[in-house]
Amino acid sequence: MDLADMGAIAALLSVPVALITAWWNKRSAEKATDATLIAGRNQADASVAAVWVQGRNEHERWQYSALGDASAEFLRATDALVRTVERLPNLGHGEREASLAEHAMSVERAYVPLELLAPPDLLSPAKDLRSYCRLLERLALDRAVLRSTINALEAGWRPGNPETCDDHHHNAAYVAWQLLVDWDSKDDEEKWRDRDLLEFCLRDSVTVSDEQVAQILSQTAAPQPGRS
């Protein structure tokens, strides 16, 4: 083989080498592009994950803060209701119902956010407390009438010793007071027997209004013995 033949072979080989080189360069560029795309996608995924985690953490902080605020508001509302019930005997009859309704509604409104935010272990005692407040609301007005009547009767007989006092108004106030204090311990027959005496003593004590007398008699009503 002479130099001319070798030159021809070299010329023939130069074409595939050039093609291979071009293909290799193209493949390398594609790999670099793919790597760049993958790195970019990974970075994007990481950014999205970081934003999601941050958003979740911020939501959890907001939820915890909102739960704390809602719990505090609920406790304030229940405390205000209890204090209102304690003050009811000192209010006029017309004021009692409005004041009680206002604070009872505040408890109900304050409970609603807890239903949405509170976990079960916190919601359960909150629910029990709301039930207690509802029971308190149902009994509060009758309790206020009874408490205010007892207070008035105590003021009516305390100016003198009921055992030696000759003032029949004072004596009537004392007897009515004693009857009311012991009323829950009486059976139905005793309540029926003493109800007329209670009414007489309440009226004769001149310490309570006719409206209060009617309310007390309504609360102390008892079935007539022998009737179902």
Side-chain angles (χ1 to χ4, degrees):
M1 180 179 298
D2 56 20
L3 292 176
D5 293 332
M6 293 181 63
I9 293 173
L12 289 174
L13 291 176
S14 64
V15 175
V17 169
L19 290 174
I20 291 173
T21 301
W23 177 84
W24 184 260
N25 290 336
K26 180 176 178 296
R27 181 60 178 165
S28 297
E30 289 176 348
K31 286 185 176 181
T33 301
D34 290 345
T36 301
L37 290 174
I38 292 172
R41 187 174 66 181
N42 289 340
Q43 184 176 2
D45 290 344
S47 298
V48 170
V51 170
W52 184 84
V53 170
Q54 181 179 2
R56 184 183 64 179
N57 290 340
E58 289 178 357
H59 176 73
E60 288 177 350
R61 285 195 294 269
W62 172 86
Q63 188 176 29
Y64 183 79
S65 176
L67 176 58
D69 292 342
S71 300
E73 182 61 28
F74 179 64
L75 291 176
R76 281 194 294 268
T78 57
D79 180 65
L81 176 63
V82 171
R83 286 187 282 108
T84 297
V85 170
E86 292 296 326
R87 290 195 301 266
L88 286 183
N90 301 323
L91 300 179
H93 177 69
E95 298 176 87
R96 290 172 186 165
E97 189 170 351
S99 181
L100 178 64
E102 176 187 352
H103 287 88
M105 183 58 65
S106 295
V107 171
E108 295 297 328
R109 285 197 300 265
Y111 178 78
V112 172
L114 293 179
E115 289 187 303
L116 301 175
L117 298 170
D121 59 339
L122 179 60
L123 185 60
S124 180
K127 196 172 186 177
D128 291 342
L129 183 54
R130 184 187 62 166
S131 298
Y132 170 77
C133 288
R134 287 178 172 179
L135 175 62
L136 194 62
E137 180 190 5
R138 288 197 299 271
L139 300 177
L141 292 178
D142 287 346
R143 175 190 178 277
V145 171
L146 182 60
R147 186 70 260 173
S148 65
T149 301
I150 288 176
N151 290 343
L153 292 171
E154 288 177 347
W157 61 259
R158 279 182 174 174
N161 185 336
E163 295 181 358
T164 59
C165 182
D166 293 331
D167 189 315
H168 68 92
H169 295 308
H170 295 174
N171 291 335
Y174 177 76
V175 173
W177 173 85
Q178 191 68 57
L179 286 170
L180 285 179
V181 170
D182 295 339
W183 198 260
D184 284 343
S185 64
K186 298 176 181 291
D187 59 31
D188 288 345
E189 184 175 353
E190 291 173 321
K191 290 177 180 179
W192 177 263
R193 182 197 64 204
D194 292 341
R195 194 163 180 271
D196 289 341
L197 176 61
L198 174 63
E199 180 179 4
F200 171 80
C201 290
L202 286 172
R203 296 189 186 281
D204 194 47
S205 71
V206 297
T207 59
V208 293
S209 66
D210 289 341
E211 183 181 23
Q212 278 183 285
V213 172
Q215 290 171 337
I216 288 295
L217 293 178
S218 175
Q219 291 183 34
T220 57
Q224 185 175 356
R227 292 186 181 180
S228 56

